[in-house]
Amino acid sequence: MSGGGGGGSSAPGRFADYFVICGLDTETGLEPDELSGENFEQTPLRRTFKSKVLARYPENVEWNPFDQDAVGMLCMPKGLAFKTQADSREPQFHSFIITREDGSRTFGFSLTFFEEVTSKQICSAMQTLYHMHNAEYDILHTPPTNDKESCSSTGDCNGTSVSKLQRFNSYDISRDTLYVSKCICLITPMSFMKACKKVLEQLHQAVTSPQPPPLPLESYIYNILYEVPLPPAGRSLKFSGVYGPIICQRPSTSELPLFDFPVKEVFELLGVENVIQLFTCALLEFQILLYSQHYQRLMTVAETITALMFPFQWQHVYVPILPASLLHFLDAPVPYLMGLHSNGLDDRSKLELPQEANLCFVDVDNHFIELPEDLPQFPNKLEFIQEISEILMAFGIPPEGNLHCSESASKMKSLRACDLVSDKRNGNIAGSPLNSYELLKENETIARLQALVKRTGVSLEKLEVREETSSKKDLKIQCDEEEFKIYQLNIQIREVFANRFTQMFADYEVFVIQPSQDKESWFTNREQMQNFDKASFLSDQPEPYLPFLSRFLETQMFASFIDNKIMCHDEDDKDPVLRVFDSRVDKIRLLNVRTPTLRTSMYQKCTTIDEAEKSIELRLAKIDHTAVHPHLLDMKIGQGKYELGFFPKLQSDVLSTGPASNKWTKRNAPAQWRRKDRQKQHTEHLRLDNDQREHLDFSMSELQLQLCLDWDQHDWPFMPSIKSVSEHYLKYIQEARNLGSTIRQPKLSNLSPSVIAQTNWKFVEGLLKECRNKTKRMLVEKMGREAVELGHGEVNITGVEENTLIASLCDLLERIWSHGLQVKQDRSCTAFVLEDRASVYSASTQIWAFQTTRRPTLHKGKSALWSHLLHYLENRQRRTTSGSFSTSGILLDSERRKSDTSPAMSPLRISLIQDMRHIQNISEIKTDVGKARAWVRLSMEKKLLSRHLKQLLSDHELTKKLYKRYAFLRCDDEKEQFLYHLLSFNAVDYFCFTNVFTTILIPYHILIVPSKKLGGSMFTANPWICISGELGETGVLQIPRNLLEMTFECQNLGKLTTVQIGHDNSGLYAKWLVEYVMVRNEITGHTYKFPCGRWLGKGMDDGSLERILVGELLTSHTEADERQCRTPPLQQSPSMIRRFVTISPNNKPKLNTGQIQEAIGEAVNGIVKHFHKPEKERGSLTLLLCGESGLVSALEQVFQHGFKSPRLFKNVFIWDFLEKAQTYYETLEQNEMVPEENWQTRARNFCRFITAINNTPRNIGKDGKFQMLVCLGARDHLLHHWIALLADCPITAQMYEDIALIKDHTLVNSLIRVLQTLQEFNITLEASLVKGIDI
């Protein structure tokens, strides 16, 4: 339901729905709060006891049913607290949120104070608890040596000479006065935090003040419940508290949504840089845990971060104050934003959390933030921090926060920039611009920013501190100065944040994929539909934005935002948040027509601050509505009296029902704004999740349908009849709700084991579904067009950065491995929890026996997956030493890879443990999270991820020790499905390890296979080899004579591309016939084959002493025994055809002209396709040029066609023909017989290249020289010129038969046109192809 003050005709928008009192129920007495996690070693005054809802007014309202458990738990999250007269008893205010099952929210505001305990039974019970506690202490701390230690652990001890009662800060009934906490609370449909705080503080002041209030308290509470309306959108409202007026104002529908928490406090607590980092974590949907002693700080930080996300909305678990009884929710394997209360004694190191790999931990009180690894930087972060800093400085807030600010910054705190401008003692003449840069030079954050920004060439000298607008002087503001400053700072900061998204997504509408089918079909197939053209959007963005944006586009909040856009076609039915954002985007686009700045990384400062400030000023200067004043109620004589210091028991008969008719509604609320107000409450400020949001032209929430509310009475023109609502949409809403509701907000009303188990089951189902969707998405992205042809999506979604998807898979695996994990117990607490209090008095031996049965604890580190792997490794090593180790964990490469390696290398031993050791040996990876991610990447690249994880989980005893029964990894069916989904990654090739860890040392194994028939064993020369890859080359490696297999180590070469092999021509028999070379990466197992089939030696073949071999990765058929695939096998790629040349090039098969043209077309087409792919998806260009079906091979066929047969026992090569042509053109030029200038230039170029290649110091043969010429011609776009030149050359007539392709002008012209298509591409050649040539 939409909540928010909407209901039947008797329930117009009221400011508050309930007034609640919580505290100690003297009838039930002291009940320990077992779920709060406290242990019995704490002194009774420090323990928590159950609080109760003592009273609520009214009893219930139909539009917002009262949730007693939730309110009781959140009003006093730690339960009751007791103190004595010696303790500080200041009242504490905090707010909270209750999220209902439909995603709508209701807000609570609570003031907790202390009252004297008057019940003798309660005082006696506390005294008894102290006697019991002392007895327990004696049992547990009998050895005198432990006294000092135990004292320090309790924190109450000043020395052994102090009596036990004093030592425990004890309570003595005869000496001390006992106080207990109590709270008063308002439950409201909208979050007017400042107004509610004033109401509660004035009510508390009324009972603590010596003078009674002007009216009974019931009059003020009745007034706030029944006579104060919600202010309509764009209006302000004044109503009366006990001691003074209270003002609140609400933004209009064209402004940023209502937000009433002080942003100032967040920046003072954390500092600008930490806030931006936290904000980035929230946008990328990491798990966020806030930690503070103060509940209100938790709430303020959480609400501020989510409010700054405008126009996006947090879609996951949101519990800013996590009650002690719900600590098991920290186990949730989903993104969450939670607040955890700190007792102020334990530091971060003692806080054991189930899942820390993807956690952003924020210690609010200590100005400390712990970030997840690999967090991308927010776009324009430095300039963004600078802009925010300027605003903070103007309000006297140091950008680095108040805890760690420099001396100059703390001096500035009380100074306003506008005061400095007119202060002549500072050397400023009134009205002259303030040189704020000089003022800020000493500030630490600004100084650090300046040093960073200078490197980018940007100057910070232009930094400006905003001056306060002069409009305030003309208007008399109704609220106090400090409150107005909070309003000003809030709106300025929020406008700056909103402006970042307006700039970044100014043209987002262009990339929204509108569904081609009707809404009903779209809802039904929502999961399969793509709603945003991510690849095209990212291709338009500045390069520095991509690391952040590529991940942000994958979040649920972005998907929901776009879904919302798709479902709201018309302006009238747009969600209000979307309408505000779109109007801002329209303004930006209009501005950019004149000054184009889109798609550049140029920083655009916010220009909407003054306008937004002005709106608030006008509302606060001229109050639009004034509520009815509190008045005497019809109470019985004697009612309304109270005792000083005690909040009275209120008269329920006068507070349970409101007035018969709401006169103020008729007087102050014209129908027009009432209608708009209702509409806005239901959609804008309640921040409904986008996938559950109401769309007024189309649907209503399920609960509204069930209630069948009478909308017509409220003049809501957009509501359809119930029949028009699509059943599919209701189903969609219901499914979303089932998946999301229990996860988004824990249900506080029932914490039985069955409910907790059901919630965990939801988590398990959600993890499995996420795994299925993620694997499918990654496969579709990887397979690209092939996947599209198979019907798995649209071609324009490909190209999203592969790294982003793999990083999100690593995050998912960490969350799966963290679910249900046994967390190490805190040593500062008792190592055991005694269910039966009586067992405290049992013999100490029994207690220590209990302690020793603790479960094994996690390895130190943040990664649950890596920790599990380490446990597995330890188990294996233990079994090895005990002799029970089985070798089943180790596979031989020959078992796994069924590839064509005839004289095969010695098989590579592959095992889960071996892969772990590879990762452990990489010194560049320092953290456990990094090691886990590297291991996942390596396993994916080896196509062993599913198999390795299956092996890891096959140790059932270990899994049982490490995980609770409900954990995902102990749900057998789901675990099997999960492993099956991961198995699908074996269908594609990933290089996610090789391409990421580019600087690590990798061992490579080489195997050279010479011809067995032609005397390889007689070879006398000294061979050498040089291996090249996409990331570098080895340099020349000398191979010991007669050694054909060796292993060496060098920096990661990336995917291997070429091998240069040769020898020094020494000895009697310096002739070597090499069949092929194989090179294997010993970490990833990738094996490359480099076919040769040619002689290396003078007088043999083409006389070459070295050759450049182009390799290709051997395909493997992994997991064939595990998965029966029904898909027919793929046809063998043309690049896999074996080289036909064995001894002489004349052994090549003769092709006809049609086949040669086809080969040329395919070779050129391959190069064109290569350059049309995104850069990160391109394969090897060397393979396309020099591979089996490459351009060199195709042009060889052109020149060999019709080549006149050589004389007996002599081979004639293409290079011989080209050298003769060179001689002819050089002679022609010397005789000055030049037909035309164009022709002359082409001939000179041709001769220059032939001469340079012949002069190279390398001992490459004639075919190697031809290959080099083709590569250089392709690089310099000269091939088509040379073909034309050679076709007209007289030498061609001498050396070619009449049927030759080169003599057919029609075919030559066709060939030239095909080669001309390469002109538009910038071809960069690998160094090994052109080594020794300087042209």
Side-chain angles (χ1 to χ4, degrees):
M1 86 181 191
S2 298
S9 56
S10 62
R14 302 195 320 209
F15 184 87
D17 289 335
Y18 295 97
F19 180 80
V20 184
I21 304 170
C22 294
L24 170 65
D25 185 350
T26 51
E27 292 180 9
T28 56
L30 290 182
E31 290 182 68
D33 193 352
E34 295 163 7
L35 292 172
S36 68
E38 296 292 344
N39 61 77
F40 290 107
E41 221 175 59
Q42 291 277 15
T43 63
L45 278 180
R46 290 197 173 175
R47 293 178 197 163
T48 55
F49 299 89
K50 283 184 182 175
S51 63
K52 296 280 180 68
V53 173
L54 303 178
R56 66 175 188 264
Y57 310 101
E59 192 67 25
N60 204 38
V61 293
E62 59 176 323
W63 61 91
N64 183 6
F66 189 76
D67 188 338
Q68 180 154 323
D69 295 296
V71 172
M73 207 177 280
L74 291 168
C75 274
M76 306 183 88
K78 292 277 281 186
L80 293 173
F82 285 90
K83 294 191 175 185
T84 65
Q85 75 283 353
D87 301 309
S88 167
R89 302 187 305 281
E90 286 298 310
Q92 295 291 327
F93 170 83
H94 78 270
S95 47
F96 57 86
I97 282 179
I98 298 174
T99 306
R100 292 189 286 268
E101 286 189 9
D102 65 342
S104 60
R105 294 175 176 179
T106 190
F107 299 86
F109 303 93
S110 170
L111 184 74
T112 305
F113 51 92
F114 283 85
E115 280 186 352
E116 186 181 334
V117 178
T118 54
S119 165
K120 290 181 180 177
Q121 288 88 343
I122 299 295
C123 294
S124 301
M126 184 59 72
Q127 184 78 74
T128 305
L129 284 174
Y130 263 99
H131 290 313
M132 292 171 68
H133 178 71
N134 292 339
E136 292 166 20
Y137 184 86
D138 287 337
I139 293 171
L140 295 172
H141 301 84
T142 40
T145 53
N146 288 351
D147 276 354
K148 191 172 179 181
E149 221 176 278
S150 58
C151 292
S152 63
S153 73
T154 60
D156 296 320
C157 175
N158 295 323
T160 50
S161 60
V162 186
S163 72
K164 279 182 186 171
L165 286 178
Q166 284 178 315
R167 180 192 303 158
F168 288 120
N169 186 22
S170 67
Y171 166 70
D172 185 336
I173 195 167
S174 61
R175 183 191 64 207
D176 297 319
T177 307
L178 189 64
Y179 293 87
V180 67
S181 57
K182 190 177 206 173
C183 95
I184 50 176
C185 170
L186 280 175
I187 305 294
T188 66
M190 295 181 74
S191 179
F192 291 105
M193 191 273 294
K194 289 192 279 285
C196 291
K197 185 178 181 183
K198 285 184 181 177
V199 169
L200 295 173
E201 284 176 343
Q202 291 189 24
L203 284 172
H204 178 252
Q205 186 186 342
V207 297
T208 53
S209 171
Q211 296 298 321
L215 294 168
L217 290 187
E218 285 84 350
S219 294
Y220 300 102
I221 294 167
Y222 182 91
N223 181 251
I224 195 76
L225 286 177
Y226 300 113
E227 297 176 327
V228 176
L230 277 171
R235 306 293 182 90
S236 51
L237 170 76
K238 181 158 74 172
F239 61 94
S240 302
V242 182
Y243 293 109
I246 296 168
I247 293 166
C248 58
Q249 57 90 28
R250 179 173 166 187
S252 70
T253 51
S254 61
E255 296 174 65
L256 293 177
L258 173 65
F259 175 73
D260 205 31
F261 289 81
V263 167
K264 170 187 175 182
E265 191 177 332
V266 178
F267 283 96
E268 284 180 335
L269 288 167
L270 295 176
V272 183
E273 201 160 340
N274 283 345
V275 171
I276 299 300
Q277 298 284 54
L278 172 56
F279 180 65
T280 308
C281 289
L283 289 171
L284 298 180
E285 297 184 337
F286 283 99
Q287 293 181 322
I288 297 172
L289 184 64
L290 309 174
Y291 191 59
S292 173
Q293 292 182 61
H294 307 278
Y295 292 118
Q296 185 58 13
R297 284 184 181 178
L298 295 174
M299 189 71 183
T300 301
V301 173
E303 282 289 282
T304 299
I305 292 300
T306 52
L308 293 177
M309 287 178 183
F310 172 90
F312 305 103
Q313 294 168 329
W314 180 259
Q315 296 291 316
H316 301 279
V317 176
Y318 183 70
V319 191
I321 295 174
L322 186 67
S325 54
L326 290 180
L327 289 183
H328 62 276
F329 254 78
L330 292 172
D331 199 15
V334 291
Y336 59 65
L337 202 169
M338 298 199 211
L340 186 63
H341 186 258
S342 152
N343 60 11
L345 301 175
D346 296 337
D347 61 9
R348 167 71 179 95
S349 61
K350 292 181 181 176
L351 189 65
E352 293 291 343
L353 301 167
Q355 143 83 321
E356 295 186 43
N358 304 312
L359 181 72
C360 172
F361 179 83
V362 185
D363 188 340
V364 179
D365 301 334
N366 294 314
H367 197 91
F368 170 75
I369 183 166
E370 198 174 291
L371 297 168
E373 290 189 18
D374 303 328
L375 181 70
Q377 191 160 292
F378 190 77
N380 293 112
K381 181 183 167 187
L382 294 177
E383 296 93 331
F384 190 29
I385 287 178
Q386 177 187 330
E387 187 177 7
I388 297 165
S389 298
E390 292 171 15
I391 293 171
L392 294 175
M393 288 290 192
F395 286 85
I397 301 165
E400 60 273 20
N402 275 343
L403 279 173
H404 297 273
C405 55
S406 64
E407 199 178 328
S408 65
S410 53
K411 283 178 188 172
M412 277 188 57
K413 187 172 184 305
S414 57
L415 272 174
R416 293 292 302 276
C418 51
D419 299 332
L420 290 170
V421 172
S422 56
D423 184 0
K424 293 179 183 175
R425 286 173 300 174
N426 287 297
N428 295 312
I429 298 166
S432 71
L434 169 65
N435 185 357
S436 56
Y437 180 71
E438 293 299 322
L439 175 73
L440 305 182
K441 263 185 177 172
E442 293 178 60
N443 183 277
E444 288 172 11
T445 299
I446 298 297
R448 204 161 67 246
L449 275 174
Q450 186 194 16
L452 284 167
V453 173
K454 263 186 180 174
R455 295 178 208 158
T456 66
V458 179
S459 171
L460 270 187
E461 300 286 336
K462 296 175 185 175
L463 182 133
E464 298 172 357
V465 174
R466 285 176 49 84
E467 292 183 29
E468 196 174 6
T469 51
S470 58
S471 58
K472 187 189 159 249
K473 294 169 187 172
D474 307 327
L475 296 168
K476 188 182 178 186
I477 304 299
Q478 300 283 324
C479 62
D480 62 69
E481 180 74 17
E482 194 55 42
E483 191 175 334
F484 181 64
K485 283 181 188 175
I486 290 172
Y487 278 125
Q488 280 184 309
L489 178 59
N490 273 15
I491 198 63
Q492 288 184 26
I493 293 288
R494 291 180 68 205
E495 286 289 342
V496 168
F497 274 80
N499 179 58
R500 291 310 325 122
F501 289 121
T502 312
Q503 298 287 346
M504 271 193 278
F505 294 98
D507 54 353
Y508 85 99
E509 288 182 79
V510 179
F511 302 98
V512 174
I513 303 170
Q514 292 293 347
S516 51
Q517 69 273 62
D518 57 276
K519 279 187 181 180
E520 192 171 310
S521 308
W522 187 80
F523 278 128
T524 309
N525 303 304
R526 173 64 195 91
E527 280 185 12
Q528 283 75 43
M529 306 301 294
Q530 294 296 328
N531 63 3
F532 194 73
D533 184 357
K534 295 172 186 174
S536 302
F537 177 80
L538 289 173
S539 67
D540 275 2
Q541 301 307 309
E543 187 72 28
Y545 289 16
L546 295 181
F548 171 82
L549 284 177
S550 59
R551 292 178 71 167
F552 180 64
L553 298 191
E554 297 298 313
T555 59
Q556 182 63 41
M557 73 173 72
F558 184 77
S560 296
F561 173 76
I562 300 297
D563 281 354
N564 206 9
K565 177 73 179 173
I566 289 171
M567 290 192 284
C568 299
H569 287 299
D570 304 322
E571 191 64 30
D572 290 338
D573 68 343
K574 257 190 197 175
D575 164 59
V577 172
L578 192 61
R579 192 185 301 127
V580 173
F581 183 70
D582 282 353
S583 68
R584 288 165 177 246
V585 162
D586 292 341
K587 285 179 187 173
I588 289 278
R589 301 229 299 263
L590 281 172
L591 185 69
N592 277 285
V593 170
R594 297 190 296 275
T595 53
T597 53
L598 289 181
R599 302 184 188 87
T600 72
S601 53
M602 187 188 300
Y603 189 81
Q604 299 292 312
K605 293 182 78 168
C606 181
T607 57
T608 55
I609 290 178
D610 291 339
E611 184 186 340
E613 254 189 328
K614 183 78 175 171
S615 302
I616 294 175
E617 274 184 40
L618 290 171
R619 281 197 292 273
L620 292 175
K622 182 178 180 295
I623 303 299
D624 298 301
H625 300 283
T626 303
V628 175
H629 288 280
H631 50 85
L632 275 172
L633 301 174
D634 186 13
M635 294 169 67
K636 295 170 187 172
I637 297 172
Q639 287 184 343
K641 290 184 179 179
Y642 73 100
E643 190 178 345
L644 182 64
F646 292 90
F647 200 88
K649 186 175 182 181
L650 301 172
Q651 304 304 310
S652 57
D653 52 343
V654 294
L655 293 177
S656 57
T657 53
S661 63
N662 285 311
K663 294 177 183 177
W664 54 263
T665 303
K666 294 172 185 173
R667 183 171 67 246
N668 288 345
Q672 186 183 2
W673 67 252
R674 255 192 300 141
R675 178 176 68 245
K676 287 180 182 175
D677 182 41
R678 175 68 55 78
Q679 185 178 331
K680 180 141 178 173
Q681 285 167 31
H682 277 270
T683 50
E684 181 184 359
H685 297 308
L686 297 170
R687 302 184 198 162
L688 301 186
D689 296 327
N690 283 339
D691 58 354
Q692 298 172 358
R693 188 178 294 274
E694 298 164 335
H695 299 283
L696 306 181
D697 68 331
F698 185 68
S699 61
M700 306 159 73
S701 79
E702 185 184 13
L703 190 57
Q704 285 169 335
L705 287 176
Q706 290 167 355
L707 294 173
C708 300
L709 298 179
D710 182 9
W711 296 103
D712 296 330
Q713 290 188 25
H714 294 282
D715 304 315
W716 199 337
F718 308 117
M719 266 301 170
S721 65
I722 292 169
K723 290 177 185 174
S724 71
V725 180
S726 161
E727 290 178 10
H728 287 289
Y729 182 54
L730 282 179
K731 185 181 173 188
Y732 174 76
I733 286 280
Q734 187 60 50
E735 284 176 1
R737 193 168 298 164
N738 288 345
L739 278 173
S741 60
T742 50
I743 293 175
R744 281 198 181 91
Q745 168 86 5
K747 192 160 178 62
L748 306 181
S749 55
N750 186 350
L751 292 173
S752 64
S754 62
V755 169
I756 293 172
Q758 187 182 358
T759 303
N760 277 306
W761 186 245
K762 293 274 186 193
F763 285 145
V764 170
E765 287 179 332
L767 285 170
L768 184 61
K769 183 178 180 184
E770 189 179 347
C771 178
R772 183 177 68 244
N773 292 341
K774 206 171 284 293
T775 49
K776 180 181 175 183
R777 170 77 196 285
M778 289 174 72
L779 286 170
V780 170
E781 292 288 350
K782 189 71 180 169
M783 294 166 76
R785 188 170 294 279
E786 186 182 340
V788 174
E789 286 164 3
L790 294 171
H792 291 299
E794 300 173 36
V795 70
N796 59 3
I797 67 162
T798 58
V800 175
E801 203 169 275
E802 181 180 294
N803 251 351
T804 303
L805 295 174
I806 290 173
S808 71
L809 175 72
C810 292
D811 292 344
L812 173 63
L813 292 176
E814 282 294 352
R815 285 192 275 120
I816 286 173
W817 255 257
S818 299
H819 183 239
L821 190 64
Q822 297 283 1
V823 183
K824 182 164 66 180
Q825 293 186 29
D826 194 338
R827 296 295 299 172
S828 66
C829 301
T830 314
F832 49 90
V833 178
L834 301 172
E835 292 181 5
D836 183 3
R837 290 300 308 272
S839 62
V840 173
Y841 299 104
S842 63
S844 58
T845 51
Q846 291 175 346
I847 293 172
W848 297 121
F850 185 93
Q851 189 176 4
T852 56
T853 61
R854 292 172 61 199
R855 291 185 177 274
T857 56
L858 270 179
H859 281 272
K860 187 76 176 166
K862 290 187 175 183
S863 169
L865 174 56
W866 188 250
S867 172
H868 194 166
L869 286 164
L870 290 175
H871 278 293
Y872 179 82
L873 180 62
E874 279 179 15
N875 276 8
R876 285 280 172 180
Q877 288 169 340
R878 208 177 298 121
R879 288 178 197 172
T880 307
T881 51
S882 66
S884 64
F885 180 67
S886 149
T887 56
S888 62
I890 293 181
L891 320 164
L892 297 183
D893 194 38
S894 53
E895 290 173 34
R896 197 176 73 82
R897 300 188 185 276
K898 301 187 173 97
S899 38
D900 52 345
T901 58
S902 28
M905 295 180 171
S906 54
L908 179 66
R909 294 178 72 81
I910 294 179
S911 75
L912 183 156
I913 290 172
Q914 188 58 46
D915 286 346
M916 277 187 70
R917 290 195 172 124
H918 284 315
I919 301 302
Q920 286 173 319
N921 292 336
I922 299 174
S923 58
E924 288 90 339
I925 306 174
K926 308 293 184 189
T927 64
D928 283 359
V929 174
K931 287 173 184 172
R933 289 180 177 230
W935 183 85
V936 170
R937 285 175 177 274
L938 177 59
S939 301
M940 282 187 73
E941 188 161 325
K942 295 178 83 165
K943 302 191 176 184
L944 288 171
L945 181 61
S946 178
R947 192 163 187 165
H948 275 349
L949 293 178
K950 187 174 183 179
Q951 189 180 330
L952 176 65
L953 297 171
S954 65
D955 191 338
H956 300 298
E957 287 303 312
L958 177 61
T959 310
K960 281 180 183 176
K961 285 178 183 175
L962 294 177
Y963 290 91
K964 298 167 187 168
R965 181 63 195 90
Y966 63 77
F968 181 93
L969 297 178
R970 291 187 64 187
C971 299
D972 292 338
D973 290 346
E974 284 69 28
K975 182 176 68 181
E976 285 300 316
Q977 290 181 59
F978 157 69
L979 292 172
Y980 184 79
H981 289 314
L982 293 184
L983 192 60
S984 61
F985 287 134
N986 292 4
V988 291
D989 294 319
Y990 280 102
F991 289 87
C992 48
F993 179 84
T994 302
N995 291 341
V996 168
F997 298 100
T998 55
T999 59
I1000 64 173
L1001 288 176
I1002 287 183
Y1004 290 93
H1005 188 74
I1006 304 172
L1007 172 68
I1008 300 167
V1009 181
S1011 170
K1012 293 178 183 175
K1013 298 176 184 175
L1014 296 164
S1017 57
M1018 298 161 59
F1019 179 57
T1020 58
N1022 297 302
W1024 57 265
I1025 196 167
C1026 175
I1027 303 168
S1028 300
E1030 292 180 352
L1031 300 175
E1033 67 169 47
T1034 58
V1036 173
L1037 300 169
Q1038 297 297 332
I1039 304 170
R1041 198 179 301 170
N1042 297 324
L1043 188 70
L1044 299 174
E1045 203 166 352
M1046 62 181 279
T1047 301
F1048 68 96
E1049 198 174 58
C1050 73
Q1051 188 168 308
N1052 185 0
L1053 299 173
K1055 295 180 195 173
L1056 302 188
T1057 50
T1058 60
V1059 158
Q1060 299 161 66
I1061 188 168
H1063 62 79
D1064 64 355
N1065 201 33
S1066 63
L1068 295 172
Y1069 191 80
K1071 297 166 187 162
W1072 199 21
L1073 177 57
V1074 177
E1075 290 285 351
Y1076 58 85
V1077 176
M1078 292 181 70
V1079 183
R1080 181 174 68 205
N1081 180 321
E1082 294 290 274
I1083 291 182
T1084 65
H1086 286 317
T1087 307
Y1088 296 82
K1089 188 171 184 177
F1090 299 85
C1092 180
R1094 304 287 293 270
W1095 281 99
L1096 285 88
K1098 291 289 183 186
M1100 299 297 292
D1101 203 341
D1102 63 346
S1104 177
L1105 290 184
E1106 65 175 270
R1107 294 198 184 277
I1108 300 169
L1109 311 180
V1110 179
E1112 50 201 9
L1113 179 66
L1114 294 180
T1115 53
S1116 59
H1117 307 281
T1118 51
E1119 315 289 355
D1121 54 337
E1122 288 192 20
R1123 180 173 52 151
Q1124 296 297 319
C1125 180
R1126 296 178 187 172
T1127 310
L1130 294 172
Q1131 291 187 345
Q1132 196 173 35
S1133 161
S1135 64
M1136 293 299 294
I1137 299 169
R1138 293 289 159 259
R1139 202 164 180 90
F1140 292 108
V1141 180
T1142 53
I1143 298 174
S1144 162
N1146 296 318
N1147 289 356
K1148 273 196 176 179
K1150 304 297 181 188
L1151 304 180
N1152 60 38
T1153 53
Q1155 291 171 316
I1156 293 170
Q1157 281 182 299
E1158 190 179 335
I1160 287 282
E1162 284 184 5
V1164 171
N1165 198 27
I1167 295 170
V1168 171
K1169 281 182 178 177
H1170 171 87
F1171 283 102
H1172 277 98
K1173 287 179 182 175
E1175 197 169 338
K1176 291 182 180 177
E1177 292 181 21
R1178 294 175 186 173
S1180 168
L1181 185 59
T1182 303
L1183 194 61
L1184 296 173
L1185 289 170
C1186 308
E1188 295 293 349
S1189 301
L1191 185 62
V1192 173
S1193 176
L1195 285 173
E1196 261 182 23
Q1197 294 287 355
V1198 169
F1199 284 104
Q1200 282 175 355
H1201 186 260
F1203 208 38
K1204 286 183 179 176
S1205 299
R1207 293 189 305 277
L1208 201 62
F1209 305 121
K1210 182 177 179 185
N1211 286 331
V1212 177
F1213 294 87
I1214 298 168
W1215 192 253
D1216 297 327
F1217 160 66
L1218 296 174
E1219 284 183 321
K1220 286 185 179 181
Q1222 178 205 9
T1223 307
Y1224 167 77
Y1225 287 123
E1226 285 176 344
T1227 308
L1228 205 64
E1229 195 169 349
Q1230 285 168 8
N1231 297 337
E1232 298 182 354
M1233 296 170 63
V1234 181
E1236 57 175 283
E1237 190 180 336
N1238 218 359
W1239 185 92
Q1240 183 185 12
T1241 308
R1242 293 176 186 178
R1244 277 181 185 165
N1245 268 334
F1246 175 72
C1247 296
R1248 186 164 59 92
F1249 276 83
I1250 297 284
T1251 305
I1253 291 169
N1254 275 329
N1255 292 338
T1256 178
R1258 294 172 67 179
N1259 291 306
I1260 54 174
K1262 293 177 180 179
D1263 282 350
K1265 290 175 180 178
F1266 175 75
Q1267 175 175 292
M1268 194 177 282
L1269 181 70
V1270 172
C1271 290
L1272 290 168
R1275 183 193 71 183
D1276 295 346
H1277 308 130
L1278 296 170
L1279 284 178
H1280 58 286
H1281 293 317
W1282 292 346
I1283 294 287
L1285 199 67
L1286 293 168
D1288 293 335
C1289 182
I1291 304 297
T1292 307
Q1294 297 171 20
M1295 298 188 71
Y1296 282 88
E1297 297 169 2
D1298 291 340
I1299 59 160
L1301 187 151
I1302 196 77
K1303 294 175 91 173
D1304 186 325
H1305 285 289
T1306 309
L1307 294 176
V1308 168
N1309 287 335
S1310 171
L1311 175 61
I1312 288 169
R1313 281 197 300 274
V1314 171
L1315 291 173
Q1316 279 176 327
T1317 58
L1318 298 178
Q1319 281 186 271
E1320 60 183 285
F1321 305 115
N1322 181 21
I1323 293 174
T1324 305
L1325 297 177
E1326 194 176 315
S1328 61
L1329 296 179
V1330 290
K1331 197 179 282 183
I1333 296 285
D1334 187 21
I1335 298 182

